[in-house]
Amino acid sequence: MLSVQPTVEDDVLLNNVRLGKYTEIKAHSILEETQIGDYSYCAGYNQIYAADIGNFCSIATFVRINPGNHPCYARVAQHHFTYRRSLFGFGEDDQEFFQGRMGKVVTIGHDVWLGHNATVMPGVTIGNGAVIGSGAVVTRNVEPYSVVVGVPARKIRMRFSESIIRGIESTRWWEWDHDIIRERLADFNDILGFIKKYGHRPTTGG
């Protein structure tokens, strides 16, 4: 059973990573310069770099987030010897190249599902409740509660109507504590009842 302490399986590399409560990182994953919110998980064989990931995110096997790009247009050679210089005895690594990658953080909202073998390219923002189809390559920002598929990824539909999306968003259920979620668990199966019970109508100025 998961706990407030993150669960990290064998053969996982974590470099400057913050993991929230009830998180799970399965085997053969590499995470660097990343923070992952409460209850989110990686299903294994994931590579994630410079990402800010929200609560309750489901990251399937082989998902890559913020993969490195080769300087294919800016330099004579595409090979990484031009920036990973120390590997080949060519001196110090090109820190400017790596800092440029750090400047393209991927931001993923709450309750996002990333399907098997999806790739999220540098600098992309994915909104709350979105679904990223298996094998998709996400090159542009993704609207909250939308479903995107393909290469490059494109929106095929919305999960809910605008009014339902507003209702779900108003509950901010992803901020509830563990005991509250357990107490209200059955309500998650009834969308309209959930919104009616826990949603908040916007106030108007007067």
Side-chain angles (χ1 to χ4, degrees), residues 33-184:
E33 309 295 339
T34 289
Q35 60 179 16
I36 296 183
D38 299 342
Y39 302 91
S40 294
Y41 69 86
C42 295
Y45 291 92
N46 303 109
Q47 294 183 22
I48 301 174
Y49 184 87
D52 186 353
I53 299 169
N55 299 337
F56 296 93
C57 288
S58 305
I59 302 173
T61 309
F62 293 111
V63 166
R64 294 195 68 185
I65 298 174
N66 204 348
N69 284 327
H70 290 250
C72 54
Y73 300 113
R75 300 181 182 185
V76 172
Q78 300 182 90
H79 193 273
H80 65 180
F81 78 84
T82 64
Y83 51 94
R84 298 187 190 277
R85 299 165 182 166
S86 62
L87 283 175
F88 304 93
F90 292 156
E92 296 182 358
D93 291 340
D94 183 350
Q95 295 304 319
E96 184 177 349
F97 176 86
F98 291 106
Q99 287 301 317
R101 187 180 175 196
M102 278 289 297
K104 297 178 180 178
V105 173
V106 168
T107 303
I108 298 177
H110 305 293
D111 194 37
V112 173
W113 175 21
L114 293 98
H116 176 85
N117 206 37
T119 301
V120 182
M121 298 303 287
V124 165
T125 295
I126 299 176
N128 293 339
V131 176
I132 310 302
S134 296
V137 177
V138 184
T139 60
R140 296 182 179 181
N141 293 346
V142 175
E143 185 179 356
Y145 297 91
S146 62
V147 179
V148 303
V149 300
V151 182
R154 60 182 179 84
K155 183 174 77 173
I156 57 170
R157 64 182 177 88
M158 298 297 293
R159 289 179 59 199
F160 308 116
S161 67
E162 289 185 14
S163 62
I164 288 178
I165 290 171
R166 286 196 301 270
I168 294 173
E169 288 276 286
S170 75
T171 70
R172 302 190 68 82
W173 65 264
W174 48 82
E175 296 178 354
W176 295 353
D177 68 33
H178 195 74
D179 290 336
I180 292 294
I181 292 174
R182 179 166 48 198
E183 176 185 319
R184 300 175 178 178

